[in-house]
Amino acid sequence: MTDHCFTYGSLMCEDIMGAVCATAPLKPQPARLAGYRRAPVIGVEYPGMVPAAGGLVEGVLYLDLPAAAWPRLDAFEGDEYQRSEVEVELADGRRLAAWAYVFKPEHAARLGEGDWDFQRFLETGKARFEALYMGFDTLGRES
């Protein structure tokens, strides 16, 4: 089983991923996933990813996440996503197995048209996202 995580939305940001996983700074690597598409989720700042023939999603791969990170990631992603094993391609052509959070088919009506824009997220959506999800850094802590 893999300990790698392919991300394609808000978790591409090292600071957000580090807070969610409660781990030291991570070293993301550019990666891409064939056979999927990334779409905006209507009414929010983050995307959903679904299988799509001929699709290609550019994202980030985090290697060797600690076991404690996975329950936190599962909680962060919530009920609309399912953790699925995929095979990603790194910039150097290597292929690695990784986990990715795929949008569940029963929630597909929430997906908008087109491709979610990461640069736009960084410019205009990240601050709103962080304000709405400020508690993600406390996932898994006892109250």
Side-chain angles (χ1 to χ4, degrees):
M1 186 178 293
T2 182
D3 292 326
H4 310 323
C5 186
F6 175 75
T7 64
Y8 56 88
S10 62
L11 294 177
M12 291 171 59
C13 298
E14 291 176 66
D15 58 336
I16 294 174
M17 183 67 164
V20 170
C21 294
T23 189
L26 304 165
K27 293 186 172 123
Q29 298 186 31
R32 58 189 188 178
L33 176 60
Y36 288 83
R37 74 177 187 93
R38 172 180 54 193
V41 177
I42 297 168
V44 294
E45 300 296 335
Y46 54 83
M49 184 177 73
V50 293
L56 184 68
V57 175
E58 299 286 339
V60 168
L61 182 69
Y62 295 96
L63 297 173
D64 303 317
L65 292 181
W70 296 105
R72 295 172 62 86
L73 283 164
D74 291 344
F76 176 76
E77 293 293 351
D79 294 335
E80 292 181 320
Y81 296 84
Q82 174 179 317
R83 186 172 12 138
S84 301
E85 194 164 4
V86 297
E87 183 179 81
V88 298
E89 182 179 353
L90 299 176
D92 64 7
R94 286 183 297 145
R95 294 184 176 278
L96 292 175
W99 290 111
Y101 288 89
V102 178
F103 211 66
K104 291 179 180 177
E106 59 264 32
H107 300 292
R110 293 203 56 220
L111 295 178
E113 295 296 319
D115 187 38
W116 183 79
D117 186 339
F118 182 60
Q119 191 59 42
R120 184 172 159 263
F121 173 77
L122 292 176
E123 293 169 4
T124 64
K126 185 178 179 194
R128 284 192 302 268
F129 176 86
E130 289 175 326
L132 287 171
Y133 298 96
M134 198 61 173
F136 59 70
D137 61 344
T138 61
L139 285 171
R141 291 185 190 165
E142 296 289 325
S143 299

